[in-house]
Amino acid sequence: MADGPTYLRIADLLREEIRAGKWNPGDRLPSHTELADQMQVSITTARNAIQVLVTENLVYTATSRGTIVRNQEVLESVVTDHIRPDRPQSAHDIFEEIARAAHREPTKEFSAKMEPANPEVAHWLGVPEDSWVLARTVVQFLDNEPWSWEVSFYPRDLAEATGIDSPHDIPEGTTRRLADRGHAETAHRDTLAARPASAEEAIVLGVATGTILLDHLRIGANHERITRATRHRSIATRNRLAYELGDDKGGNVIRHTLGISYRPGIPLP
């Protein structure tokens, strides 16, 4: 280990062990107490060493499981697949389709509630401020690892008319539900920004405050109205977003040239 503060030298050792394969994705590192005993240091020093690895996105902390080694794959999402009119029918939403193609196990924590539209949401949906809107929130996990945080907002009348005001997750996804109930989206506007995670986002995604996130806002509409606003936040270094535009024939030429026959998790260079 290099010279420097003890906590940095311990972090260096753990980092080297992770890269050497001693600790694999999903493995639990020693607890702060265990690490302090092993290294003959204080718990504070052990905690600071682990925090270095959290900041580097090599590990995350789970309340019930301790400090867990992160998977180092990059998950590529072709975000235009979600809104293709010819998208094949499926019992799974787009997140599950992407996860299973990457041979990862997807799970979710879901909630839904009616709430007054704040100025930002009101602007996105084109509704009066403080009018009731449905907020559907899902934290998505891959192999139990926090992956993304998505909140979708819908005008109350549309949510009630289509049944997406259900307090349960909708397996096929709300985009398909809207289309099945006669409110298919015909246009979308996507805004992407890279920015530091807030304290709340850091807690939800298991990262350090200030970690760079991808903040993806999609506004959907049909010919009459805005149907939804979806805000999807994910860790920038673990996600890659791709857009495929144009007809299938040209798209197949691109995919063939690039050697893309499926969309698994893609290892980091």
Side-chain angles (χ1 to χ4, degrees), residues 24 62 66-67 80 85 90 100-101 106 108 132 135 159-160 187 189 216 230 259:
N24 296 312
T67 302
T80 41
S90 169
R100 294 186 189 285
K108 306 175 189 176
W132 289 104
E160 292 176 341
R189 185 178 192 273
H216 177 195
T230 295

Side-chain angles (χ1 to χ4, degrees), residues 125-188:
L125 294 180
V127 299
E129 189 176 334
D130 290 329
S131 62
W132 289 104
V133 298
L134 175 70
R136 294 179 61 88
T137 299
V138 59
V139 180
Q140 297 163 326
F141 299 81
L142 291 177
D143 301 327
N144 295 315
E145 179 181 325
W147 200 262
S148 61
W149 183 17
E150 181 176 292
V151 184
S152 295
F153 300 94
Y154 304 85
R156 178 178 182 173
D157 66 309
L158 183 62
E160 292 176 341
T162 57
I164 61 175
D165 58 340
S166 165
H168 307 291
D169 188 30
I170 295 175
E172 73 273 22
T174 55
T175 302
R176 281 195 177 109
R177 173 66 64 84
L178 286 170
D180 290 344
R181 302 294 171 87
H183 298 274
E185 295 174 344
T186 60
H188 302 87

Side-chain angles (χ1 to χ4, degrees), residues 3-228:
D3 293 337
T6 302
Y7 78 92
L8 288 180
R9 290 189 278 119
I10 295 173
D12 288 343
L13 175 62
L14 292 172
R15 186 188 304 108
E16 290 169 7
E17 290 180 343
I18 290 171
R19 290 175 175 170
K22 177 178 179 179
W23 308 100
N24 296 312
D27 285 349
R28 184 183 74 85
L29 291 185
S31 69
H32 297 155
T33 301
E34 291 167 340
L35 187 60
D37 288 343
Q38 290 174 17
M39 297 295 177
Q40 294 297 293
V41 297
S42 69
I43 291 179
T44 298
T45 297
R47 183 181 295 111
N48 289 342
I50 293 296
Q51 186 58 37
V52 170
L53 303 185
V54 171
T55 301
E56 295 175 356
N57 285 324
L58 288 176
V59 302
Y60 68 97
T61 56
T63 303
S64 60
R65 294 186 294 140
T67 302
I68 311 298
V69 177
R70 280 192 182 276
N71 193 303
Q72 296 300 299
E73 287 182 325
V74 174
L75 189 70
E76 180 169 293
S77 304
V78 182
V79 295
T80 41
D81 278 357
H82 194 190
I83 55 180
R84 285 180 55 185
D86 61 343
R87 181 179 164 208
Q89 289 295 316
S90 169
H92 305 295
D93 64 16
I94 196 71
F95 170 69
E96 293 196 50
E97 290 175 9
I98 292 169
R100 294 186 189 285
H103 308 294
R104 307 287 296 278
E105 182 62 33
T107 53
K108 306 175 189 176
E109 290 181 356
F110 170 80
S111 65
K113 64 177 180 178
M114 288 290 179
E115 63 184 36
N118 64 30
E120 187 175 49
V121 172
H123 173 69
W124 293 339
L125 294 180
V127 299
E129 189 176 334
D130 290 329
S131 62
W132 289 104
V133 298
L134 175 70
R136 294 179 61 88
T137 299
V138 59
V139 180
Q140 297 163 326
F141 299 81
L142 291 177
D143 301 327
N144 295 315
E145 179 181 325
W147 200 262
S148 61
W149 183 17
E150 181 176 292
V151 184
S152 295
F153 300 94
Y154 304 85
R156 178 178 182 173
D157 66 309
L158 183 62
E160 292 176 341
T162 57
I164 61 175
D165 58 340
S166 165
H168 307 291
D169 188 30
I170 295 175
E172 73 273 22
T174 55
T175 302
R176 281 195 177 109
R177 173 66 64 84
L178 286 170
D180 290 344
R181 302 294 171 87
H183 298 274
E185 295 174 344
T186 60
H188 302 87
R189 185 178 192 273
D190 285 34
T191 305
L192 295 171
R195 59 167 184 78
S198 68
E200 181 185 18
E201 290 165 337
I203 291 171
V204 172
L205 294 173
V207 297
T209 301
T211 298
I212 300 301
L213 303 182
L214 286 178
D215 193 337
H216 177 195
L217 174 66
R218 169 169 286 168
I219 308 295
N222 56 29
H223 292 171
E224 290 79 38
R225 67 186 299 179
I226 300 290
T227 50
R228 65 168 168 127

